[in-house]
Amino acid sequence: MKSIQATLIGVAIASALVLTAQAEAPEDMAARILQAQDEQSLLATWDNWHPEATHRVVLKYGPGQQDDSFSYRISDSADAEETDFTKAFEGYSETARSELQITARSEEDTRYVTAVSQVDYEWQGYAGKMRQTDEFVFETYLGGTVIRSLTTTYDYR
């Protein structure tokens, strides 16, 4: 009987904490996800994603070259193996990154957040600049705000 009472008290306290905690703004959530640099930081963002969330990646290379594009479900990424894409970018490194420029807008129950940054990089003996644009779509799920989709565009033009 005592374990049931302790459980009920624990559930009541947890519920009160959840109800009084302020929800993180989508802009802050997007910035935190983009600033995650290691596996532990990324794992800390796992509950910010809708279970069916997708990530689309677009690579724009320049005039005369066709864009590359692929997408995957975020939940499938935990089981992903090294892809041709990751192999193709071996030796690629960022040398500098600008501050994120974040804008947000809402339409009905959907929130859109766009984050843009300029990146200096080195790859195969070449130093260049790239513009990265991350477009998040947030929606309400189980009473909270989660990421429904993310489109990341790497623009090397």
Side-chain angles (χ1 to χ4, degrees):
M1 184 73 151
K2 290 183 181 185
S3 64
I4 292 174
Q5 289 173 335
T7 302
L8 291 175
I9 291 170
V11 168
I13 291 172
S15 298
L17 289 172
V18 167
L19 292 173
T20 59
Q22 290 191 353
E24 184 176 22
E27 298 89 338
D28 296 335
M29 198 181 306
R32 187 168 47 80
I33 287 168
L34 293 173
Q35 292 167 353
Q37 295 296 313
D38 57 28
E39 188 173 345
Q40 185 176 8
S41 298
L42 287 170
L43 286 174
T45 70
W46 194 249
D47 61 347
N48 297 132
W49 296 88
H50 187 283
E52 299 296 320
T54 58
H55 183 202
R56 180 172 181 250
V57 177
V58 179
L59 294 138
K60 296 183 173 285
Y61 299 112
Q65 296 184 26
Q66 189 169 359
D67 297 345
D68 279 330
S69 175
F70 63 92
S71 62
Y72 60 94
R73 282 181 16 156
I74 296 295
S75 61
D76 294 342
S77 67
D79 300 327
E81 295 180 18
E82 191 171 292
T83 64
D84 290 339
F85 174 75
T86 55
K87 290 177 188 174
F89 277 87
E90 284 180 5
Y92 178 94
S93 65
E94 290 185 9
T95 57
R97 180 178 282 271
S98 70
E99 289 249 350
L100 286 174
Q101 301 300 312
I102 297 179
T103 57
R105 65 182 172 82
S106 295
E107 290 179 14
E108 297 185 25
D109 292 337
T110 305
R111 180 90 178 191
Y112 300 89
V113 175
T114 302
V116 178
S117 59
Q118 306 297 324
V119 177
D120 294 340
Y121 67 90
E122 290 182 359
W123 186 39
Q124 297 180 350
Y126 176 79
K129 294 186 180 294
M130 178 265 294
R131 176 183 168 121
Q132 180 178 334
T133 304
D134 293 282
E135 299 170 299
F136 291 85
V137 177
F138 289 86
E139 65 181 36
T140 303
Y141 178 73
L142 297 177
T145 301
V146 295
I147 302 164
R148 184 63 173 110
S149 67
L150 168 61
T151 298
T152 302
T153 302
Y154 299 102
D155 191 342
Y156 291 93
R157 298 177 292 174

